[in-house]
Amino acid sequence: MTVELIHVTKYYSNKKAVDDVNLTIGDNEFFVILGPSGSGKTTLLRIVAGLIEPDEGEVRIGGRRMNGVPPFERNVAMVFQNYALYPHMTVYDNIALNMKIRKLKKSEIDRRVKEVAARLHIDDLLDRRPSQLSGGQAQRVALARAMVRNPSVYLLDEPLSNLDAKLRVEMRAEIKRFLGSVGVPVIYVTHDQSEAMTLGTRVAVMNAGRIIQVGSPLELYERPSNVFVAGFVGNPPMNVIPLSALNGVAPPPGYERGEVAIGIRPTDLAIGSGPGTSVRATISLIEVLGDEAVIHASAGSIQLTIKKELREVAGLRVGDVVAIGIDPAKAHWFRSSDGTRIEVT
Ligand code: ADP
């Protein structure tokens, strides 16, 4: 099964919520749609599910045109943020319902419900009703219900948003183990770049209804196609500085200083002088994140973010003036006019 979106556009009033999206998602792909709130991710997923019809363009599943085909005929398993569980049924029956409809044997249903419940740590909740569950528990029941089906496509919309940080990381691994090798496309929507990077075989970055870039997590990180992707993928975001504000670094051939911005990952900046040039900057904030630290520093109008191992920066204090080394070999380059990437060979 493949999922194809061909020139898909959806308007709300006069505004394009989804703007000319073209994607082909193959079997065995764990495909993540990543973007900020309001970028059109949920609308796009609902168009695949058949809950919303596009105004323009075509949706195909397994080569078959789906426009006008109702959701239940598309055989998609959905987990949405507002996991709609049946309130009058127990957790067990919610998970088992689809298998009962398909008339699976009772013993087989029982085995599958218990297996998935154990994996998602909800095996002690099987007799409860949805109203007796926390948000995070209900979310896992919705996941379990989708996992026991044999759909043509899995669609997940922020399925871990109600979980606390520890459980989210644990469930992320469980989703990857379970859905990473089911042999049908998985489309997973999130605004969380770390979730996208750890889960996706490919990631599409969306902004304002448009797909900005599609690639493997590594491709997006190493070769962001514009400043939006550069700023959205990676934490903390890449430093992007107009070259006119920085002395000592030459623009790439064919460009004037005023036409380009230089991008450097926080982990690629040196504290103290290194290869390349350096600027003197005053430390304004030190954030300790376990074994790493993020240092914020300002040099005139330039704000810099640097990420280092904690022990490398243990002696630094707010107010210290330090040299920040910028190595042009680590630079990304962008056109100031439209933010697009400049390839430097
Ligand atoms: P995301 O999932 O990325 O947060 P959505 O797909 O929910 O984005 O929304 C995309 C845009 O469409 C937003 O500007 C949102 O306000 C708008 N939108 C979504 N649903 C509706 C609706 N039913 N009516 C009008 N506008 C909507």
Side-chain angles (χ1 to χ4, degrees), residues 12-32:
Y12 283 122
S13 313
N14 288 329
K15 199 172 154 283
K16 285 183 185 174
V18 170
D19 186 357
D20 194 24
V21 166
N22 291 283
L23 287 173
T24 300
I25 300 157
D27 287 348
N28 272 324
E29 270 209 85
F30 200 116
F31 192 88
V32 175

Side-chain angles (χ1 to χ4, degrees), residues 24 72-73 93 110 121 145-146 177-178 186 228 335 338:
T24 300
F72 63 90
E73 279 182 33
D93 289 334
D110 194 59
H121 310 323
R145 191 174 54 175
R177 257 197 294 277
F178 199 91
V186 179
F228 179 80
R335 291 173 191 85
D338 60 1

Side-chain angles (χ1 to χ4, degrees), residues 1 65 67 107 124 195 233 242 274 277 297 311 326:
M1 283 296 164
R65 184 182 156 93
N67 299 52
S107 58
D124 53 342
E195 203 163 287
V233 170
T277 191
R311 58 185 155 77
I326 299 174

Side-chain angles (χ1 to χ4, degrees), residues 12-13 15-18 35-44 157 189:
Y12 283 122
S13 313
K15 199 172 154 283
K16 285 183 185 174
V18 170
S37 176
S39 56
K41 308 180 297 294
T42 295
T43 305
L44 192 60
D157 188 355
V189 159

Side-chain angles (χ1 to χ4, degrees), residues 3 6 8 43 45 65-66 89 95 99 104 162 184 192 203 210 225 260 283 286 295 309 333:
V3 176
I6 303 155
V8 169
T43 305
L45 204 69
R65 184 182 156 93
M66 286 290 145
M89 288 186 197
I95 299 172
M99 292 187 285
L104 265 62
N162 288 334
V184 299
D192 179 339
V203 178
R210 293 184 150 264
S225 66
V260 297
I283 296 177
I286 300 175
I295 315 250
E309 284 186 29
W333 293 101

